[in-house]
Amino acid sequence: MNPELILDPLNAAQREAVSAPDANLLVLAGAGSGKTRVLVHRIAWLVHEFGVMPFGIMAVTFTNKAAAEMRARLEQMLDISTRGMWVGTFHGLSHRFLRAHWEQAGLPQNFQILDSDDQLRVIKRVTRDMNLDEDRWPPKQTQWWINSHKDEGRRAFEIEDHGEPVQSTLLSVYRQYEAACERGGMVDFAELLLRSWELWLKDAALLAHYRQRFQHLLVDEFQDTNTIQYKWLRALAGPEARVTAVGDDDQSIYGWRGAKIENIHQFQRDFTGVRLVRLEQNYRSTANILNAANAVIANNYGRLGKNLWTDGGEGDPITLYAAFNEQDEARYIVDELQKWIAAGHQRAESAILYRSNAQSRVLEEALLRAGIPYRVYGGLRFYERLEIKNALAYLRLLLNRNDDAAFERVVNTPPRGIGTSTIDAIRAAARTRSVPLWAAAKDIASSLPARARNALQGFIDMVNQLQRDIDSLELAEKVDRVLLVTGLLEYHRTEKGERGETRVENLEELVSACRAFTPEDPERGAMEQFLDTASLDAGDTQAEEFEDSVQLMTLHSAKGLEYPLVFLAGMEENLFPHAMSREEPGRLEEERRLCYVGITRAMQRLIMSYAESRRLHGRETMNGMSRFLREIPPELLQEIRPRLQVTRPMGSWNSSNKWGQTPISHGPKKMGSDPIFLGGGRGGFRQEESEGLRLGQRVRHPRFGEGVVIGFEGQGAHARVNVNFATEGAKWLVVSMAKLESV
DNA sequence: CGTGGGCGGATTTTT
DNA sequence: TCCGCCCACG
């Protein structure tokens, strides 16, 4: 391959990165600056210019989606096979490594991956077994506590027990949890990384082997690495390997789950001769959008520094809509969407982004009313669904009877008369004998009362028999049989309502997924490998919605995506920045980065909105516009309903918040000066009030007194009326909200 | 064993 | 307000 072909399509900075010397490299890639492209071309460059064997390259990403995309683009670009190259997530690669070295890692050959749901179940059980009050020791929190230690690379034995009761207790749960995983041959997500790393440190020969092999490591989204991932990388790289780290400190939004933005700084200290290249030219957004993003992020401290620019045009101004309440906001968004669609655009080219999932409901209702198809991201993913988890648990139990999490899940699903007392007895026996639940169940079955005995024995026999029956079948047939024999399919089929229907469909989908599955490792069974995929991959690549629809998602899930039209809804204090993150400077900065991420998703048109009044947790709240809006230069913003004054809904209006705390009085300069926005009426619009107004009619307004109607604009709930007041002069009012009485 | 009412909590999410 | 979870009841 001609090296020029690799560099040709790139700009100067991209070229510099791609053709940098074969040494450590840090690429600061701004949003929309062609990050993935640089990564892929860099690999091509390594292969074609430096003669690196694909076999010696490892490329690490955070999500399976990113890994798949990288692989696809590599294969398109490189004219040699990418076989032998390791491309995957930290977890996926660690898993691969542990499968190859299970014995050295001290794992059973058939070890199984525990997803967070399973992990929670195990922790719940441990908590109960320790006779801890679940209200005082919520398993969710314990899970979080354990995981954050593991993400930092700390085992239970490494944590010092200060004798402080809370910490002591959590620590012993951690220990018990580790023991339970050990017994069941279960490995949670953090464990994959931790154990790989420990094995490298422990086994010098093994580490040397991998270091020898992978002389070239590339890491995407470097700002999202957590401590154990960084340690993992450092250990594997050693002093010799050349590491290319690509990331953007301004897009670090996962600090709350352990990502260490500092790693990107630390990288320059820990690795020798790191060359730094900044990618600042943006190919995605208009200048107005980029300038807004730059202005917002400039308020953060300690950045590595970066300024996005484009050689494209200014584009449309950014629209800011000051909604009366969340209903009004939703309706405005729907109106704008309809205009957009009417102008011949695809719905799928637009996205509505929000800070928290709870915000989607109102938006969905408005879209539903307008008959606009939409898709909400972030629900339960395929492999997380109850019926799928049930089916997978059966498969796991078939492969490994020691899998307690699986046992607990299916022993009485579908219900087969194995009640809590029986299960408690099994648990107790398992605990006293320190054996897995399955073994304990077998042991105590005969000593149970007849009914329970039969039920339990029936279950045990069924699983054993099933294993023999499906032994020679193809994966999909195996699963099909399991669904049938265990009664799972029938059970979900008889669930009432639509729910059962979808569940059966999902189970059928599972069988098709099995049919489509190609195992990679001939040494291991197909079902084992399928289960690994199910644990490590959320499965959201499949079942993509086909219909052209508006995309709804949180700001977090929007990272990495782009849309010609983007709405940022709910730009209010306490919502965004979220109340939980406002106090600490560090967390506030992360919110600001999130805002930066949101703004830079927009390609052509960005519409931001906030609600003066929002119903939240059953309360009418008035949060005021987000501080991030104030950080955008006013000349970039076009306020759709600029207001000179704000009145509050009658019930909550009081003079103390009339001026000083009214956001608009500190807000950006208004463009133009015409209409006046007036809040009025509680919780919505009064359609009937917009009727019966005619030109010349005398009306009375609660604040402005009497006046004469001198003009109309718009229709329906958006209709506005121009009233010439005796004392205040002419003002535009939104008919549906201003409490006008005819005189 | 399944459901319905009462209660408390209510960012963000990948692997 | 609304949703999910827990417990009590049928």
Side-chain angles (χ1 to χ4, degrees), chain A residues 250 291-303 585 588-590 592-593 595-596 627-633:
Chain A
D250 291 333
N291 290 337
N294 285 332
V296 169
I297 201 66
N299 292 283
N300 274 5
Y301 290 93
R303 301 168 55 218
L588 178 65
E589 293 212 341
E590 185 156 303
R592 187 175 282 113
R593 293 193 289 269
C595 182
Y596 174 79
R627 68 190 70 190
F628 302 141
L629 289 175
R630 299 177 197 286
E631 292 169 0
I632 298 174

Side-chain angles (χ1 to χ4, degrees), chain A residues 368-526:
Chain A
L368 221 48
R369 272 198 300 273
I372 301 176
Y374 63 89
R375 176 177 173 202
V376 188
Y377 283 74
L380 267 195
R381 279 164 324 200
F382 186 70
Y383 290 122
E384 283 172 356
R385 288 167 201 195
L386 180 94
E387 62 278 17
I388 301 298
K389 298 225 64 161
N390 286 341
L392 295 178
Y394 271 110
L395 304 187
R396 279 165 39 187
L397 195 62
L398 284 165
L399 290 172
N400 175 12
R401 303 289 199 279
N402 297 342
D403 190 332
D404 283 356
F407 181 91
E408 287 227 36
R409 183 175 263 283
V410 298
V411 65
N412 200 34
T413 310
R416 50 173 72 86
I418 302 174
T420 25
S421 60
T422 309
I423 297 176
D424 281 344
I426 299 170
R427 283 204 200 99
R431 207 175 333 148
T432 49
R433 293 165 218 210
S434 281
V435 294
L437 293 172
W438 176 268
K442 260 186 6 185
D443 287 352
I444 67 161
S446 53
S447 62
L448 290 169
R451 217 159 119 174
R453 181 177 61 219
N454 289 338
L456 187 57
Q457 197 56 54
F459 173 70
I460 292 170
D461 293 343
M462 178 196 68
V463 173
N464 287 335
Q465 182 62 40
L466 191 53
Q467 181 174 28
R468 285 190 290 273
D469 288 351
I470 63 173
D471 188 51
S472 59
L473 298 178
E474 290 288 317
L475 176 59
E477 274 66 48
K478 278 186 172 143
V479 175
D480 202 46
R481 185 68 155 270
V482 169
L483 294 179
L484 215 65
V485 173
T486 60
L488 210 53
L489 195 68
E490 193 51 35
Y491 172 60
H492 288 302
R493 193 191 306 275
T494 52
E495 264 183 300
K496 65 175 185 184
E498 221 172 293
R499 201 169 59 183
E501 228 169 279
T502 20
R503 289 198 164 149
V504 170
E505 278 167 23
N506 286 333
L507 288 171
E508 282 161 0
E509 179 71 28
L510 179 69
V511 177
S512 336
C514 288
R515 200 158 278 127
F517 179 73
T518 344
E520 285 181 357
D521 184 352
E523 306 282 309
R524 299 176 56 233

Side-chain angles (χ1 to χ4, degrees), chain A residues 137-154:
Chain A
W137 308 98
K140 267 256 165 56
Q141 279 178 38
T142 309
Q143 181 183 32
W144 186 85
W145 190 86
I146 291 174
N147 282 339
S148 22
H149 280 294
K150 294 185 91 164
D151 284 344
E152 291 289 316
R154 281 192 296 271

Side-chain angles (χ1 to χ4, degrees), chain A residues 570-573 576-577 610 624-631:
Chain A
M571 298 294 295
E572 294 142 49
E573 286 290 303
F576 190 35
Y610 68 96
M625 66 158 74
S626 168
R627 68 190 70 190
F628 302 141
L629 289 175
R630 299 177 197 286
E631 292 169 0

Side-chain angles (χ1 to χ4, degrees), chain A residues 238-258:
Chain A
E240 297 283 319
R242 275 75 87 197
V243 178
T244 296
V246 182
D248 180 1
D249 53 332
D250 291 333
Q251 290 189 73
S252 162
I253 55 173
Y254 287 114
W256 52 275
R257 64 177 201 212

